[in-house]
Amino acid sequence: MTILLTGTSSGIGRATAEALLVKGHRVFGTVRRISDASELSLHPAFSALIMDVTDRASIAAAIETIRTSGETLHAVINNSGIAVSGPLETLAEEDYRRQFDVNVFGSLAVCQEALPLLHAAREAGEANVKIINISSVSGYVTAPFTSIYSASKFAMEAVTDGLRRELVPFGIDAVSIAPGPVKTPIWTKAKTQTKAYEGTRYAYILEKLIPYVENAEAGGVTPEHVAGVILKTLESSRPRPHQLVMPKSWVVRILKQLPKRVQDKIFLKNMEGNKRY
Ligand SMILES: NC(=O)c1ccc[n+]([C@@H]2O[C@H](COP(=O)([O-])OP(=O)(O)OC[C@H]3O[C@@H](n4cnc5c(N)ncnc54)[C@H](OP(=O)(O)O)[C@@H]3O)[C@@H](O)[C@H]2O)c1
């Protein structure tokens, strides 16, 4: 299969590119800096595309490169993402807008630009044509101080369901994969985001939050584990529309069913006690 995979510079995207290449797939992997693709580019089945998902022209140019390659595009994996953290009251407008620009509007723009190629694949008789959106457990339940990230992942769950239902007549599938904590650089990036707390009423939470984040990351699965789930989903003719990828995912499923006030107490207790949920 030929796959467009966004965000291959590190983490889940990098591990997924490697797993796809090992299985003999053809990968068009996106990076924002060409140097971030130097190792992957050593593989003959990997082509690096420069793309910033907030820059529509860069998305269109990347898709045009795939189109003119003459290869049939079977799947798009929207993996690029950022995690903005901070109290909703004090988050800077540019930060909460960037959260949606990258995770929601960026992923949607990639789908819009790539869909003509996916339709062409179906019209040429290809089976198993699909979009996989990398969501998160945060698209399932909302933890305090990562609420805007959660909002972006809830939005992507809705976009994925909408795409799947709108694309049924054309035989193109759309599914989401929602990992719990994964050991990737996204956590280190989140730990440096302290400006929304400093000098505000929420400054007290920082000393609890950093160990909480470190603890969550330490209990996380490897990016290779998530890559394995992505690979299986890609190759399946009827994958589950939504997969929660984390140990004891049933805990989250139960948590989601509890009354909201009970959920509130659990989140607050876990943050106090510096535990993972
Ligand atoms: N790690 C977790 O615990 C976890 C859990 C659930 C879901 N996820 C989701 O998994 C996906 C991958 O994250 P990760 O954990 O592997 O983190 P990561 O290592 O930080 O990877 C994020 C990728 O997104 C790219 N990216 C960021 N902004 C971009 C933009 N404007 N345009 C194009 N690409 C951009 C990054 O490229 P640069 O290097 O150029 O910034 C990087 O390749 C994200 O959607 C994330 O929300 C992660």
Side-chain angles (χ1 to χ4, degrees):
M1 294 172 82
T2 299
I3 297 119
L4 168 61
L5 167 63
T6 67
T8 59
S9 68
S10 61
I12 295 168
R14 168 64 67 96
T16 302
E18 287 167 355
L20 293 172
L21 292 169
V22 167
K23 284 295 288 290
H25 295 295
R26 170 83 172 98
V27 181
F28 286 93
T30 81
V31 284
R32 292 194 289 173
R33 293 161 297 272
I34 197 67
S35 56
D36 286 338
S38 47
E39 278 170 46
L40 286 170
S41 295
L42 295 175
H43 198 291
F46 182 89
S47 295
L49 299 173
I50 296 293
M51 183 195 289
D52 184 319
V53 298
T54 62
D55 172 4
R56 188 81 186 215
S58 79
I59 303 173
I63 298 296
E64 184 59 10
T65 303
I66 302 175
R67 197 184 64 76
T68 53
S69 74
E71 294 185 51
T72 302
L73 185 67
H74 297 94
V76 174
I77 305 173
N78 270 308
N79 164 75
S80 282
I82 57 170
V84 170
S85 78
L88 286 170
E89 183 178 345
T90 57
L91 267 181
E93 182 171 352
E94 69 175 295
D95 290 337
Y96 64 69
R97 287 193 184 280
R98 193 165 49 92
Q99 179 68 89
F100 268 66
D101 282 343
V102 176
N103 290 18
V104 185
F105 305 130
S107 300
L108 178 58
V110 171
C111 292
Q112 288 186 335
E113 294 289 344
L115 267 164
L117 296 191
L118 299 180
H119 282 294
R122 284 295 292 143
E123 284 153 17
E126 297 288 335
N128 218 355
V129 175
K130 62 170 74 84
I131 293 169
I132 300 177
N133 290 325
I134 306 306
S135 168
S136 168
V137 63
S138 301
Y140 216 71
V141 285
T142 307
F145 308 111
T146 51
S147 318
I148 198 66
Y149 174 68
S150 245
S152 76
K153 294 298 186 180
F154 270 75
M156 278 316 291
E157 288 293 340
V159 166
T160 308
D161 285 346
L163 280 170
R164 190 175 57 260
R165 291 163 192 168
E166 292 173 19
L167 293 170
V168 164
F170 307 104
I172 299 171
D173 204 0
V175 299
S176 77
I177 293 178
V182 188
K183 292 184 176 79
T184 74
I186 209 168
W187 293 92
T188 309
K189 296 174 195 170
K191 268 188 285 183
T192 60
Q193 295 174 26
T194 52
K195 71 175 191 287
Y197 303 88
E198 284 158 3
T200 78
R201 288 190 176 85
Y202 299 91
Y204 78 95
I205 204 80
L206 270 179
E207 71 183 53
K208 293 183 198 304
L209 202 65
I210 290 176
Y212 177 80
V213 166
E214 280 167 355
N215 200 40
E217 182 186 11
V221 301
T222 62
E224 289 72 24
H225 176 77
V226 181
V229 176
I230 295 172
L231 190 64
K232 228 168 136 186
T233 304
L234 187 76
E235 292 176 345
S236 163
S237 59
R238 202 168 163 76
R240 280 192 282 144
H242 173 94
Q243 294 177 70
L244 202 48
V245 183
M246 62 187 292
K248 297 189 190 157
S249 60
W250 55 269
V251 174
V252 177
R253 289 181 199 288
I254 292 173
L255 178 66
K256 194 174 166 61
Q257 301 308 318
L258 295 174
K260 294 277 188 193
R261 299 273 182 211
V262 178
Q263 291 187 31
D264 296 350
K265 286 204 176 88
I266 293 170
F267 274 116
L268 292 174
K269 189 165 180 287
N270 281 352
M271 189 151 283
E272 287 289 327
N274 176 26
K275 279 191 263 152
R276 275 184 304 134
Y277 56 83

